[in-house]
Amino acid sequence: MHLASLARTVRTTLAGCFRTPPSPRPIAAIAAPEGMPARRDVFPLLVAADRTLCFNRDCGPTSARVLATTVPKSGTYLLGQVLERLGFGPIGVQVYEDAVQDLRGQTRDEALDTDNVQVRLPIEQSLPLVRAGQYALGHVAYSERSLSAAKDFAVLFVYRDLRDCFVSLVRFSERLKRSGPPPAWATLRGRAEKMNGFLDEPCGVEWFMGLARGVVPWMTHPGVLPVRYETLLGDEGRESAERLVGAICRAVGVEAGRGRAAEVLAAAVSSETITKSSGRSKWTDYWDDRVEAKFRHVGAADLNRALGYS
């Protein structure tokens, strides 16, 4: 996107800014030639050396651009670490079909703030801001719009057993910084009680299921590489994990030399990320018959089967 397009981008951004929870405030998109401004009431678009606009100037030596669209809580940032070890630069912005969430320059605590600003920026305008040698992460729904916007990208689809995703979402939600009191389910004692309480509150469940249903069709789209979280973590053995990293290398156009996959995987798994918890989520610790019934009631069991899980 060139500077000539800035005015149109600013108008579009200002017309549709939103914040969660509601009570929107104006967010201005600006060109920032000298770097990221200290103010957080603006949405900066940086100016690269070639005078194009971008989210982040830092990029790797490759000409490829990568879009990783993921089921929520399925290893989104783990895959980001893999891509960084392969030489790709992060854009620092999480991408959705109609919005972006700006995490640039934020600490881990700041990123867990529920008042984080989201800007309504359609995929047709956000993906052109990704430079060669960079990757974009997000929960981008499968649609004609997304397919068209990502036509020049290497696309990876990351997924995981949805039972583990729900548990990871509950654990993540407990760590969020809120200005008000915690949700009722978070005050319950016992893991299964918390999961039952979480599934009784429609807001989080509807958010998750809406995003999950939207991204699952990427799994079978020609040319998209499915990345199974459990395989990447070594559940099927080290060789399977390394083969998957090798497949990622080929998909994004990076040379996969002898031993590189093991090195990349070890470094990625040991890295700290914004959403990383103290240990891996295990759904059996949070499950009982009531939870399973609710899991099936919201359609998660059917979606899980579509992903290849029981």
mmCIF file of all heavy atoms in Angstrom, residues 72-99:
data_model
loop_
_atom_site.group_PDB
_atom_site.id
_atom_site.type_symbol
_atom_site.label_atom_id
_atom_site.label_comp_id
_atom_site.label_asym_id
_atom_site.label_seq_id
_atom_site.Cartn_x
_atom_site.Cartn_y
_atom_site.Cartn_z
ATOM 1 N N PRO A 72 -8.739 -20.750 17.392
ATOM 2 C CA PRO A 72 -8.280 -20.092 18.615
ATOM 3 C C PRO A 72 -7.730 -21.092 19.638
ATOM 4 O O PRO A 72 -8.271 -22.180 19.812
ATOM 5 C CB PRO A 72 -9.552 -19.414 19.151
ATOM 6 C CG PRO A 72 -10.401 -19.186 17.937
ATOM 7 C CD PRO A 72 -10.134 -20.373 17.048
ATOM 8 N N LYS A 73 -6.617 -20.722 20.271
ATOM 9 C CA LYS A 73 -5.966 -21.512 21.307
ATOM 10 C C LYS A 73 -5.439 -22.835 20.791
ATOM 11 O O LYS A 73 -5.432 -23.845 21.495
ATOM 12 C CB LYS A 73 -6.917 -21.755 22.494
ATOM 13 C CG LYS A 73 -7.558 -20.506 23.056
ATOM 14 C CD LYS A 73 -6.536 -19.419 23.389
ATOM 15 C CE LYS A 73 -5.534 -19.864 24.427
ATOM 16 N NZ LYS A 73 -4.427 -18.865 24.590
ATOM 17 N N SER A 74 -4.934 -22.814 19.552
ATOM 18 C CA SER A 74 -4.394 -24.047 18.969
ATOM 19 C C SER A 74 -2.904 -23.939 18.655
ATOM 20 O O SER A 74 -2.380 -24.734 17.880
ATOM 21 C CB SER A 74 -5.159 -24.400 17.684
ATOM 22 O OG SER A 74 -4.930 -23.422 16.683
ATOM 23 N N GLY A 75 -2.227 -22.974 19.251
ATOM 24 C CA GLY A 75 -0.801 -22.834 18.991
ATOM 25 C C GLY A 75 -0.479 -21.742 17.993
ATOM 26 O O GLY A 75 0.529 -21.832 17.288
ATOM 27 N N THR A 76 -1.286 -20.698 17.965
ATOM 28 C CA THR A 76 -1.081 -19.595 17.021
ATOM 29 C C THR A 76 0.319 -19.005 17.151
ATOM 30 O O THR A 76 1.061 -18.884 16.175
ATOM 31 C CB THR A 76 -2.134 -18.492 17.260
ATOM 32 O OG1 THR A 76 -3.442 -19.058 17.159
ATOM 33 C CG2 THR A 76 -1.991 -17.364 16.250
ATOM 34 N N TYR A 77 0.698 -18.653 18.369
ATOM 35 C CA TYR A 77 1.992 -17.992 18.572
ATOM 36 C C TYR A 77 3.151 -18.981 18.564
ATOM 37 O O TYR A 77 4.290 -18.598 18.299
ATOM 38 C CB TYR A 77 1.964 -17.169 19.856
ATOM 39 C CG TYR A 77 1.089 -15.944 19.708
ATOM 40 C CD1 TYR A 77 -0.215 -15.928 20.181
ATOM 41 C CD2 TYR A 77 1.560 -14.813 19.046
ATOM 42 C CE1 TYR A 77 -1.023 -14.815 20.016
ATOM 43 C CE2 TYR A 77 0.764 -13.699 18.874
ATOM 44 C CZ TYR A 77 -0.529 -13.705 19.363
ATOM 45 O OH TYR A 77 -1.341 -12.605 19.187
ATOM 46 N N LEU A 78 2.879 -20.247 18.835
ATOM 47 C CA LEU A 78 3.920 -21.266 18.669
ATOM 48 C C LEU A 78 4.332 -21.340 17.203
ATOM 49 O O LEU A 78 5.527 -21.367 16.883
ATOM 50 C CB LEU A 78 3.416 -22.629 19.145
ATOM 51 C CG LEU A 78 4.324 -23.829 18.842
ATOM 52 C CD1 LEU A 78 5.667 -23.677 19.535
ATOM 53 C CD2 LEU A 78 3.648 -25.133 19.254
ATOM 54 N N LEU A 79 3.357 -21.359 16.307
ATOM 55 C CA LEU A 79 3.699 -21.374 14.888
ATOM 56 C C LEU A 79 4.434 -20.094 14.508
ATOM 57 O O LEU A 79 5.361 -20.120 13.688
ATOM 58 C CB LEU A 79 2.444 -21.537 14.030
ATOM 59 C CG LEU A 79 2.745 -21.606 12.532
ATOM 60 C CD1 LEU A 79 3.558 -22.860 12.204
ATOM 61 C CD2 LEU A 79 1.471 -21.590 11.711
ATOM 62 N N GLY A 80 4.045 -18.973 15.099
ATOM 63 C CA GLY A 80 4.765 -17.732 14.844
ATOM 64 C C GLY A 80 6.232 -17.856 15.200
ATOM 65 O O GLY A 80 7.105 -17.373 14.463
ATOM 66 N N GLN A 81 6.528 -18.525 16.309
ATOM 67 C CA GLN A 81 7.926 -18.722 16.698
ATOM 68 C C GLN A 81 8.661 -19.613 15.699
ATOM 69 O O GLN A 81 9.836 -19.396 15.398
ATOM 70 C CB GLN A 81 7.993 -19.325 18.104
ATOM 71 C CG GLN A 81 7.616 -18.366 19.208
ATOM 72 C CD GLN A 81 8.547 -17.165 19.271
ATOM 73 O OE1 GLN A 81 9.767 -17.310 19.214
ATOM 74 N NE2 GLN A 81 7.977 -15.979 19.380
ATOM 75 N N VAL A 82 7.979 -20.627 15.179
ATOM 76 C CA VAL A 82 8.581 -21.470 14.144
ATOM 77 C C VAL A 82 8.940 -20.611 12.924
ATOM 78 O O VAL A 82 10.055 -20.692 12.385
ATOM 79 C CB VAL A 82 7.633 -22.613 13.741
ATOM 80 C CG1 VAL A 82 8.147 -23.337 12.487
ATOM 81 C CG2 VAL A 82 7.466 -23.598 14.889
ATOM 82 N N LEU A 83 8.020 -19.766 12.500
ATOM 83 C CA LEU A 83 8.249 -18.936 11.328
ATOM 84 C C LEU A 83 9.375 -17.926 11.562
ATOM 85 O O LEU A 83 10.171 -17.640 10.651
ATOM 86 C CB LEU A 83 6.961 -18.220 10.927
ATOM 87 C CG LEU A 83 5.855 -19.139 10.405
ATOM 88 C CD1 LEU A 83 4.540 -18.383 10.276
ATOM 89 C CD2 LEU A 83 6.248 -19.751 9.058
ATOM 90 N N GLU A 84 9.468 -17.405 12.765
ATOM 91 C CA GLU A 84 10.564 -16.480 13.057
ATOM 92 C C GLU A 84 11.909 -17.195 12.993
ATOM 93 O O GLU A 84 12.898 -16.634 12.504
ATOM 94 C CB GLU A 84 10.359 -15.829 14.421
ATOM 95 C CG GLU A 84 9.254 -14.780 14.408
ATOM 96 C CD GLU A 84 9.172 -13.983 15.696
ATOM 97 O OE1 GLU A 84 10.229 -13.671 16.275
ATOM 98 O OE2 GLU A 84 8.034 -13.680 16.123
ATOM 99 N N ARG A 85 11.944 -18.435 13.474
ATOM 100 C CA ARG A 85 13.205 -19.201 13.395
ATOM 101 C C ARG A 85 13.561 -19.543 11.952
ATOM 102 O O ARG A 85 14.714 -19.840 11.653
ATOM 103 C CB ARG A 85 13.091 -20.485 14.221
ATOM 104 C CG ARG A 85 12.886 -20.299 15.727
ATOM 105 C CD ARG A 85 13.823 -19.269 16.314
ATOM 106 N NE ARG A 85 13.785 -19.152 17.745
ATOM 107 C CZ ARG A 85 12.896 -18.459 18.456
ATOM 108 N NH1 ARG A 85 11.894 -17.845 17.841
ATOM 109 N NH2 ARG A 85 13.001 -18.369 19.761
ATOM 110 N N LEU A 86 12.584 -19.478 11.067
ATOM 111 C CA LEU A 86 12.840 -19.714 9.645
ATOM 112 C C LEU A 86 13.181 -18.419 8.907
ATOM 113 O O LEU A 86 13.386 -18.430 7.694
ATOM 114 C CB LEU A 86 11.624 -20.378 8.990
ATOM 115 C CG LEU A 86 11.279 -21.779 9.501
ATOM 116 C CD1 LEU A 86 10.020 -22.302 8.823
ATOM 117 C CD2 LEU A 86 12.441 -22.742 9.269
ATOM 118 N N GLY A 87 13.228 -17.302 9.635
ATOM 119 C CA GLY A 87 13.671 -16.044 9.047
ATOM 120 C C GLY A 87 12.587 -15.040 8.727
ATOM 121 O O GLY A 87 12.889 -13.967 8.184
ATOM 122 N N PHE A 88 11.343 -15.340 9.060
ATOM 123 C CA PHE A 88 10.256 -14.408 8.775
ATOM 124 C C PHE A 88 10.074 -13.431 9.929
ATOM 125 O O PHE A 88 10.243 -13.792 11.099
ATOM 126 C CB PHE A 88 8.938 -15.160 8.532
ATOM 127 C CG PHE A 88 8.908 -15.901 7.230
ATOM 128 C CD1 PHE A 88 9.414 -17.191 7.141
ATOM 129 C CD2 PHE A 88 8.396 -15.299 6.084
ATOM 130 C CE1 PHE A 88 9.402 -17.882 5.944
ATOM 131 C CE2 PHE A 88 8.383 -15.979 4.882
ATOM 132 C CZ PHE A 88 8.888 -17.272 4.804
ATOM 133 N N GLY A 89 9.708 -12.206 9.601
ATOM 134 C CA GLY A 89 9.469 -11.196 10.618
ATOM 135 C C GLY A 89 8.006 -11.103 10.973
ATOM 136 O O GLY A 89 7.140 -11.252 10.108
ATOM 137 N N PRO A 90 7.682 -10.846 12.256
ATOM 138 C CA PRO A 90 6.290 -10.694 12.665
ATOM 139 C C PRO A 90 5.768 -9.306 12.313
ATOM 140 O O PRO A 90 6.539 -8.344 12.249
ATOM 141 C CB PRO A 90 6.353 -10.876 14.181
ATOM 142 C CG PRO A 90 7.715 -10.344 14.545
ATOM 143 C CD PRO A 90 8.620 -10.694 13.393
ATOM 144 N N ILE A 91 4.470 -9.193 12.092
ATOM 145 C CA ILE A 91 3.894 -7.872 11.859
ATOM 146 C C ILE A 91 3.398 -7.261 13.165
ATOM 147 O O ILE A 91 3.137 -6.058 13.232
ATOM 148 C CB ILE A 91 2.757 -7.894 10.819
ATOM 149 C CG1 ILE A 91 1.592 -8.783 11.292
ATOM 150 C CG2 ILE A 91 3.276 -8.360 9.470
ATOM 151 C CD1 ILE A 91 0.358 -8.688 10.407
ATOM 152 N N GLY A 92 3.252 -8.075 14.218
ATOM 153 C CA GLY A 92 2.834 -7.555 15.514
ATOM 154 C C GLY A 92 1.361 -7.242 15.619
ATOM 155 O O GLY A 92 0.922 -6.630 16.593
ATOM 156 N N VAL A 93 0.594 -7.656 14.643
ATOM 157 C CA VAL A 93 -0.831 -7.362 14.576
ATOM 158 C C VAL A 93 -1.565 -8.663 14.299
ATOM 159 O O VAL A 93 -1.171 -9.415 13.409
ATOM 160 C CB VAL A 93 -1.134 -6.337 13.461
ATOM 161 C CG1 VAL A 93 -2.622 -6.154 13.264
ATOM 162 C CG2 VAL A 93 -0.471 -4.999 13.775
ATOM 163 N N GLN A 94 -2.597 -8.955 15.081
ATOM 164 C CA GLN A 94 -3.390 -10.159 14.809
ATOM 165 C C GLN A 94 -4.501 -9.804 13.830
ATOM 166 O O GLN A 94 -5.194 -8.802 13.995
ATOM 167 C CB GLN A 94 -3.974 -10.730 16.095
ATOM 168 C CG GLN A 94 -4.586 -12.111 15.898
ATOM 169 C CD GLN A 94 -4.881 -12.801 17.215
ATOM 170 O OE1 GLN A 94 -6.017 -12.820 17.669
ATOM 171 N NE2 GLN A 94 -3.862 -13.375 17.822
ATOM 172 N N VAL A 95 -4.659 -10.674 12.817
ATOM 173 C CA VAL A 95 -5.523 -10.363 11.686
ATOM 174 C C VAL A 95 -6.805 -11.195 11.742
ATOM 175 O O VAL A 95 -6.772 -12.401 12.029
ATOM 176 C CB VAL A 95 -4.781 -10.640 10.362
ATOM 177 C CG1 VAL A 95 -5.671 -10.327 9.167
ATOM 178 C CG2 VAL A 95 -3.492 -9.827 10.290
ATOM 179 N N TYR A 96 -7.931 -10.534 11.484
ATOM 180 C CA TYR A 96 -9.221 -11.189 11.312
ATOM 181 C C TYR A 96 -9.759 -10.792 9.927
ATOM 182 O O TYR A 96 -9.145 -9.987 9.231
ATOM 183 C CB TYR A 96 -10.215 -10.758 12.397
ATOM 184 C CG TYR A 96 -9.804 -11.122 13.800
ATOM 185 C CD1 TYR A 96 -8.891 -10.341 14.508
ATOM 186 C CD2 TYR A 96 -10.324 -12.250 14.423
ATOM 187 C CE1 TYR A 96 -8.510 -10.677 15.803
ATOM 188 C CE2 TYR A 96 -9.956 -12.590 15.722
ATOM 189 C CZ TYR A 96 -9.043 -11.794 16.404
ATOM 190 O OH TYR A 96 -8.673 -12.130 17.671
ATOM 191 N N GLU A 97 -10.900 -11.335 9.560
ATOM 192 C CA GLU A 97 -11.430 -11.014 8.236
ATOM 193 C C GLU A 97 -11.825 -9.543 8.127
ATOM 194 O O GLU A 97 -11.664 -8.933 7.066
ATOM 195 C CB GLU A 97 -12.630 -11.902 7.908
ATOM 196 C CG GLU A 97 -13.093 -11.763 6.460
ATOM 197 C CD GLU A 97 -14.233 -12.706 6.116
ATOM 198 O OE1 GLU A 97 -14.960 -13.135 7.032
ATOM 199 O OE2 GLU A 97 -14.393 -13.006 4.925
ATOM 200 N N ASP A 98 -12.299 -8.957 9.210
ATOM 201 C CA ASP A 98 -12.783 -7.578 9.159
ATOM 202 C C ASP A 98 -12.131 -6.665 10.180
ATOM 203 O O ASP A 98 -12.578 -5.533 10.367
ATOM 204 C CB ASP A 98 -14.301 -7.542 9.356
ATOM 205 C CG ASP A 98 -15.036 -8.077 8.140
ATOM 206 O OD1 ASP A 98 -14.836 -7.523 7.044
ATOM 207 O OD2 ASP A 98 -15.781 -9.064 8.270
ATOM 208 N N ALA A 99 -11.081 -7.119 10.854
ATOM 209 C CA ALA A 99 -10.463 -6.296 11.889
ATOM 210 C C ALA A 99 -9.019 -6.736 12.116
ATOM 211 O O ALA A 99 -8.597 -7.800 11.654
ATOM 212 C CB ALA A 99 -11.250 -6.402 13.194
#
